[in-house]
Amino acid sequence: AAQRVSHRTSNNKRARTTYEEQASKELDDLDDQCLLLYKSIRSMALEGSQYGDARPLSAVCTSGNIVATGGWSGTIQLWDGKKDTLDVLGRKGMAHEDRIMGMDMMKCRGDEDHMVATASIDLSAKLWHVRRNEDVLMEEDDDDDDNDDDTTTITNTTKNTNTPYTISEAHHLKGHKARLCSVAFHPMKQHVVTTSFDHTWRLWDVETGSQLLLQDGHVKETYGVGMHPDGSLCSTTDFGGVVQVWDLRSGKSACHFLGHAKRVISSEFSPNGFQLATAGDDGTIKIWDLRRRKQFASIPAHTKLITQLRFAQGSGDASEFTGNGQQNGEFLVSSSFDGTVKTWSTRDWKMLSTLRGHEGKVMGVDVLGSSGESSGGGGVRIVTSGYDKTLKLWK
């Protein structure tokens, strides 16, 4: 019996040693991949630029390799993020009656279609279907066959053939009493959140466009919004310098953070799930520890207002960023009215690079995935929109 116990103990030790060696090797591999990623980011340069509108481009977002922009003219445009030329994929003129201030995009389940959400100062938000033209034409042809109307067939099949994608309105979200500021899809893709100068944020159903929740917990104009990766929490910011974190399961405040000296414009959860980044008019980025409910870091990032924060978030593609399909927010990007975009290491919160190219204010920033280049992080791409009316691609 003593020999059997000794044998089992020996096997357990060997198994534990093997596990520790494997875990150590995986961590070393992750560190090596992160170093390659950071080396790539430090050498990033401007690769493409396009004039996007007759008025400033106030918002930009990405889904897969598609880039969407919204501008002060109320127009939505889609761009091909795989190409340095940023070819136009689709356009919707006068999508809103006034400036688009915020937008978000998600890939729909089970197909290549996407959905775009926009928030405008015309007191409304809208949801938009983004579909390939061949899909739209096939549906129209089916409808025409049922109608047996040759004239209608000719008219419909010549629609929307100038660009690969068609943008059509899905829902018009009305209810806010003042201009809207930001919009964000829930990770489960069934809900969308909007913020407004009416001091409220609202939760809407994507499928029906109906309002599900109205929360008026801010005493100043509500601006930024962010969604937790697991969908349980939502963060909102206001012009009083307050950051609120809400439990979406109950609709109640989970905690709040104070520390910004001025208006807080942007809020973004880290993919790791336990950190929240916020920024605004004071030019600083603050990192909040959600577990300890206190400030973790404060970064003097820009000399003027910070317009947007974005963590790099992988989609699970094995070729994306670090090469392991588990890109966990190894860097953060920020855009500012000081005309720069900066990238930050999320390991030590030190600056990796400064991107200069816009003439004037940078209004928005987002991160694209891999462009199919070789491993080592070479496929990382960043897109920015500016007051100079341009969309720019960096890699």
Side-chain angles (χ1 to χ4, degrees):
Q3 289 179 346
R4 286 197 298 272
V5 171
S6 176
H7 182 67
R8 284 198 300 271
T9 302
S10 177
N11 287 340
N12 290 337
K13 287 182 178 179
R14 282 197 297 271
R16 186 163 56 250
T17 301
T18 302
Y19 172 78
E20 290 173 351
E21 289 175 350
Q22 182 179 356
S24 178
K25 182 179 183 302
E26 290 178 354
L27 289 174
D28 290 341
D29 289 342
L30 285 174
D31 288 339
D32 292 341
Q33 291 163 355
C34 187
L35 289 175
L36 289 173
L37 173 68
Y38 287 172
K39 182 179 179 181
S40 170
I41 292 174
R42 290 189 180 99
S43 62
M44 291 187 85
L46 180 63
E47 290 291 331
S49 181
Q50 284 279 13
Y51 272 99
D53 206 336
R55 302 193 69 192
L57 293 180
S58 49
V60 62
C61 60
T62 65
S63 178
N65 287 308
I66 299 178
V67 181
T69 57
W72 282 13
S73 68
T75 299
I76 302 170
Q77 291 201 87
L78 304 178
W79 312 82
D80 189 348
K82 292 185 295 184
K83 298 181 180 179
D84 295 347
T85 52
L86 292 169
D87 296 342
V88 176
L89 298 178
R91 186 178 187 275
K92 184 69 175 178
M94 293 299 296
H96 282 274
E97 297 176 3
D98 213 323
R99 302 177 188 178
I100 294 174
M101 299 304 298
M103 65 191 313
D104 196 11
M105 181 163 55
M106 69 173 183
K107 187 174 182 180
C108 298
R109 292 179 176 177
D111 52 39
E112 295 184 357
D113 293 347
H114 295 74
M115 179 166 278
V116 172
T118 53
S120 171
I121 67 175
D122 66 5
L123 310 189
S124 72
K126 291 184 179 181
L127 301 180
W128 306 88
H129 287 303
V130 175
R131 296 187 293 176
R132 286 187 175 274
N133 267 331
E134 52 264 32
D135 297 336
V136 175
L137 294 177
M138 286 177 62
E139 290 183 6
E140 290 175 344
D141 286 342
D142 291 340
D143 293 339
D144 295 336
D145 289 340
D146 293 338
N147 294 333
D148 291 328
D149 188 339
D150 294 339
T151 303
T152 306
T153 302
I154 293 172
T155 302
N156 283 338
T157 54
T158 56
K159 286 181 181 178
N160 305 316
T161 56
N162 294 327
T163 55
Y165 285 87
T166 295
I167 306 172
S168 59
E169 184 176 324
H171 296 292
H172 195 170
L173 311 181
K174 297 180 180 180
H176 283 289
K177 305 304 180 183
R179 60 184 288 181
L180 277 71
C181 305
S182 303
V183 61
F185 282 112
H186 189 275
M188 296 301 291
K189 304 182 179 182
Q190 297 175 346
H191 307 104
V192 65
V193 176
T194 56
T195 61
S196 169
F197 271 28
D198 64 7
H199 302 187
T200 72
W201 63 271
R202 303 180 189 224
L203 183 71
W204 310 80
D205 184 274
V206 167
E207 187 171 348
T208 64
S210 59
Q211 180 179 300
L212 302 177
L213 175 67
L214 184 157
Q215 180 56 259
D216 57 357
H218 288 275
V219 296
K220 293 287 187 178
E221 294 89 339
T222 310
Y223 204 100
V225 63
M227 301 299 301
H228 193 276
D230 70 7
S232 62
L233 301 175
C234 168
S235 64
T236 55
T237 68
D238 68 26
F239 278 12
V242 178
V243 179
Q244 288 274 11
V245 179
W246 307 89
D247 187 337
L248 287 177
R249 294 162 294 191
S250 64
K252 298 180 181 179
S253 176
C255 61
H256 70 275
F257 298 113
L258 301 174
H260 283 282
K262 297 181 180 180
R263 301 176 296 176
V264 188
I265 301 299
S266 182
S267 175
E268 184 85 353
F269 283 98
S270 169
N272 64 29
F274 55 81
Q275 288 176 325
L276 173 68
T278 58
D281 218 353
D282 59 7
T284 65
I285 299 173
K286 294 191 182 294
I287 311 299
W288 308 94
D289 189 322
L290 297 174
R291 296 170 299 184
R292 298 182 178 181
R293 300 190 178 187
K294 66 179 183 178
Q295 181 177 299
F296 178 79
S298 182
I299 308 166
H302 293 271
T303 58
K304 294 183 179 180
L305 180 146
I306 298 172
T307 53
Q308 188 75 63
L309 297 175
R310 279 287 188 265
F311 282 98
Q313 301 191 43
S315 62
D317 187 331
S319 66
E320 192 157 273
F321 298 119
T322 58
N324 61 2
Q326 296 294 327
Q327 206 298 118
N328 291 317
E330 292 287 4
F331 66 94
L332 173 73
V333 292
S334 59
S335 59
S336 171
F337 276 9
D338 65 11
T340 67
V341 175
K342 296 185 179 182
T343 59
W344 309 88
S345 164
T346 55
R347 297 200 171 197
D348 55 14
W349 302 108
K350 292 182 179 180
M351 188 173 69
L352 297 171
S353 65
T354 301
L355 308 178
R356 293 183 174 90
H358 282 282
E359 297 179 7
K361 304 171 184 176
V362 186
M363 310 289 280
V365 64
D366 208 343
V367 182
L368 280 160
S370 172
S371 59
E373 299 177 22
S374 58
S375 60
V380 176
R381 294 162 295 155
I382 292 172
V383 288
T384 56
S385 63
Y387 193 80
D388 58 6
K389 311 167 189 175
T390 66
L391 171 70
K392 296 187 185 296
L393 173 67
W394 312 78
K395 70 177 184 179

